[in-house]
Structures are given as C-alpha cells and as structure tokens.
Amino acid sequence: QVQLVESGGGLVQAGGSLRLSCTASGLTSTWFMMAWFRQAPGKEREFVGSIDRSGRTTPYGDSVKGRFTISRDNLKNTQYLQMSSLKSEDTGIYYCAGRFYTGSYTYTQVAQYDYWGPGTQVTVSS
C-alpha cells in the first residue's frame, strides 16, 4: 500500500523560505510520478508542479515560477519543494501526490493522481 507523508510546513514571514518534504513508502515500481498541490482557504486545489523518476519537472505556473523548485531523491523515495520569496498568497495546505506512470505524459490534474498525503500547513505572514 502506497503512503505519502509530508513534512516541513510551518509559519514563515513574507520573503522567507521553507522546504517541504514528502516521502513515499510501499512503492512497487520506480516509475512513480510525484507532485505538489496546494489549497488556499475557500479555493480549489491547485497544481504546483511534478517530477518524474528522471528528475524532469513540469513547467511551473506563473504564480510560483522562479520562486519554487521541486527536486527528488530516488534512493529515499522523497521529493522536495523548495519555496523562496514567499508571499501571503502562498498560504495554504500543501499536498504531496503520486501515481505510477509510463511514458512521458504530464499529469497536472487532481483526478490524475491516485495517492495523497494528509497535507502540511504553510502560513506566510505579511
């Protein structure tokens, strides 16, 4: 059974940095796409980015481009989300998501991911 667990959330001042981690367990294949989503209060869950087993990431959305970076350590089955120059609008619950995949298709929708972590709260104070 695949399980995802996030860590690293917390309270940070605007302009600060934070690094989230997500560790997967129970994987039966290395062909496992990992992604980050976030959800602000009263809003829908938003795709932040994803990374495949080779380290290829999807293009980041305009809201986080140049500030967020996703990386991955396959030996640890862990992905990271390095966030810098944080803004109050980055506040929300950050979710780790995953799915097994083949080929080079990009998955950006909530419904395309089969496994989810419980989420970790990120609060950016202005």
Side-chain angles (χ1 to χ4, degrees), residues 6-77:
E6 307 97 337
S7 62
L11 175 64
V12 62
Q13 289 189 333
S17 298
L18 208 59
R19 188 177 83 155
L20 306 183
S21 301
C22 171
T23 298
S25 61
L27 297 181
T28 56
S29 168
T30 59
W31 288 81
F32 192 71
M33 182 77 70
M34 301 185 80
W36 290 100
F37 287 77
R38 67 182 183 181
Q39 189 166 19
K43 295 189 176 182
E44 293 187 352
R45 199 165 295 191
E46 172 190 26
F47 177 75
V48 175
S50 66
I51 186 166
D52 68 12
R53 65 179 225 155
S54 66
R56 182 178 67 99
T57 57
T58 52
Y60 299 100
D62 289 341
S63 62
V64 304
K65 192 178 298 182
R67 300 188 300 119
F68 289 14
T69 303
I70 296 175
S71 61
R72 176 169 177 160
D73 184 337
N74 288 333
L75 292 178
K76 297 180 179 180
N77 290 333

Side-chain angles (χ1 to χ4, degrees), residues 13-18 66-68 83-88 90 124:
Q13 289 189 333
S17 298
L18 208 59
R67 300 188 300 119
F68 289 14
M83 305 183 290
S84 60
S85 302
L86 283 162
K87 307 175 182 179
S88 57
D90 294 318
V124 183

Side-chain angles (χ1 to χ4, degrees), residues 82-126:
Q82 179 66 48
M83 305 183 290
S84 60
S85 302
L86 283 162
K87 307 175 182 179
S88 57
E89 50 263 45
D90 294 318
T91 293
I93 300 175
Y94 283 69
Y95 295 94
C96 175
R99 62 162 292 151
F100 294 103
Y101 73 102
T102 59
S104 59
Y105 189 75
T106 298
Y107 304 95
T108 63
Q109 306 300 310
V110 170
Q112 293 176 311
Y113 286 87
D114 301 310
Y115 306 100
W116 292 85
T120 185
Q121 176 71 45
V122 171
T123 303
V124 183
S125 63
S126 56

